[in-house]
Amino acid sequence: MHRRAFLQLTGGVLAASALAGGLGRLAQAGTVRDGKVGDLGVADYTRMRRFVATSFGRTAYVEQGSGPVALFLHGFPLNSYQWRGVLPRLAAHRRCLAPDSMGLGYTEVTQGKSVTPASQVDMLIEFLDALGVGTVDLVANDSGGAVAQLFMVRHADRVRSVLLTNCDVENDSPPPGVMPVIEAARKGTFARDFFVKQVDDHSLVHAPTGLGGACYTFPGHPTDDAIDMYMRPLVATPERMALTNAYALGLFPNPLAGIEASLRQFRRPVRIVWGTGDTIFSPKSPDYLDQVLPLSHGVRKVKGAKLFFPEEYPELIAEEAKKLWGVR
């Protein structure tokens, strides 16, 4: 119920040189352990955080790598820290941009601005324009997947490819299990009653009905550091709690209503990676997307993985992204 309460190297010597340089850059960010790329830590992520000014406020984001841009869209109530394991694994192939959605994470929202999925798309376009970015490869999870689909149909000319993980689809948005969250947000009590308690007592996060128990595959996830990174910004002030509630309210009515016809006209490659242990979204949704999207590269189902599995399986996500992008 509390789901809301994811440079191709060629040639021998050149490849080795590029890889060494890439590992050196990642080592400076604290992401290489014994020669292997690993997750970014809280200190790394905090140090790397930047802000871009748009008419919607100041968008917080983290950037790694160079080359064509990949844009990573996270779920609710997470922020871009969800992608901390994926970014360093793809930085050799893409300029990876991971922004925090409005109402979540560390993005600062201009007073009075909407934080609905449609408005998130408008913000992202301004964000990309401010950075001089044209086209992107989209990678998305959860409500970020709804934003990605709106981005796909409204700005298809700015999309090269899409990797979708467990997320809303038109006939399952919002899913029934999210309605109690939306009702609590209508009353203005969701952020206070859910997140404040779990920030103070992390054991509640790992209870069966807590964020970890409901939406993560492995016991102990999210970690204590991740809980603080995700939840503390949401309850930092009464204004932030109101924005958190507003984000939940933006998920109803269905933000994807009527989108199927446009998705059927979307002519970019799409790969769907879906955790089968997800109890929030319908298990029929990945096959639905596969049938609707004309250039779908098929579905990979990850047995037993729950909603926020991209955080727990960064190597798998990186593997699928590289296949989609055609890089080694």
Side-chain angles (χ1 to χ4, degrees):
M1 161 175 146
H2 293 298
R3 163 267 193 186
R4 305 244 180 220
F6 4 114
L7 298 165
Q8 185 169 352
L9 300 178
T10 58
V13 175
L14 289 176
S17 175
L19 180 58
L23 289 175
R25 288 189 296 275
L26 292 173
Q28 292 176 1
T31 61
V32 174
R33 304 290 185 266
D34 299 324
K36 296 181 179 180
V37 178
D39 297 1
L40 294 166
V42 169
D44 304 319
Y45 218 83
T46 302
R47 183 177 66 252
M48 295 167 66
R49 186 180 296 117
R50 305 177 186 176
F51 291 87
V52 164
T54 73
S55 66
F56 292 88
R58 297 176 72 234
T59 301
Y61 73 104
V62 163
E63 174 177 347
Q64 274 198 302
S66 60
V69 170
L71 183 65
F72 294 81
L73 306 179
H74 63 82
F76 173 54
L78 312 184
N79 56 52
S80 63
Y81 192 62
Q82 181 183 21
W83 303 110
R84 65 191 179 279
V86 178
L87 302 185
R89 289 174 169 87
L90 292 175
H93 309 285
R94 288 294 188 270
R95 178 186 177 192
C96 300
L97 300 178
D100 290 353
S101 296
M102 292 187 294
L104 303 176
Y106 295 83
T107 286
E108 302 166 4
V109 183
T110 300
Q111 186 174 3
K113 286 291 187 180
S114 166
V115 297
T116 64
S119 296
Q120 303 285 352
V121 174
D122 293 337
M123 178 274 285
L124 289 171
I125 291 298
E126 288 194 24
F127 168 76
L128 294 173
D129 288 345
L131 292 175
V133 175
T135 58
V136 300
D137 298 292
L138 290 171
V139 182
N141 176 241
D142 186 49
S143 58
V147 174
Q149 291 170 67
L150 292 172
F151 193 112
M152 289 158 60
V153 301
R154 291 172 55 185
H155 302 282
D157 60 323
R158 300 190 70 161
V159 180
R160 283 188 304 272
S161 71
V162 185
L163 177 61
L164 290 175
T165 64
N166 298 49
C167 64
D168 301 76
V169 301
E170 182 179 354
N171 58 15
D172 189 31
S173 182
V178 176
M179 291 308 300
V181 170
I182 294 171
E183 290 302 323
R186 284 195 182 116
K187 298 174 183 176
T189 61
F190 172 59
R192 182 196 68 204
D193 291 350
F194 187 58
F195 297 117
V196 171
K197 292 178 181 178
Q198 296 195 43
V199 165
D200 291 340
D201 184 355
H202 288 187
S203 68
L204 297 175
V205 178
H206 302 296
T209 57
L211 184 71
C215 300
Y216 284 80
T217 314
F218 301 116
H221 282 203
T223 64
D224 285 343
D225 284 347
I227 292 169
D228 287 338
M229 282 285 279
Y230 293 146
M231 294 188 181
R232 287 194 182 279
L234 304 181
V235 297
T237 65
E239 292 76 18
R240 280 308 309 271
M241 285 194 279
L243 270 177
T244 303
N245 290 331
Y247 189 100
L249 290 173
L251 303 176
F252 185 89
N254 184 358
L256 298 180
I259 201 174
E260 181 179 317
S262 296
L263 288 177
R264 289 187 180 278
Q265 302 302 313
F266 182 74
R267 300 288 172 176
R268 303 289 189 276
V270 181
R271 177 66 163 166
I272 301 146
V273 186
W274 206 271
T276 65
D278 182 5
T279 60
I280 306 301
F281 291 113
S282 169
K284 299 178 181 179
S285 292
D287 297 318
Y288 166 83
L289 287 170
D290 186 42
Q291 295 165 7
V292 166
L293 293 160
L295 296 186
S296 172
H297 285 210
V299 179
R300 177 175 180 178
K301 294 184 179 179
V302 186
K303 186 177 180 179
K306 292 188 178 181
L307 175 60
F308 294 140
F309 80 92
E311 182 174 339
E312 302 173 289
Y313 293 82
E315 292 182 350
L316 185 152
I317 296 299
E319 171 194 339
E320 288 293 337
K322 288 185 284 187
K323 287 180 181 178
L324 182 63
W325 301 341
V327 300
R328 297 188 182 186

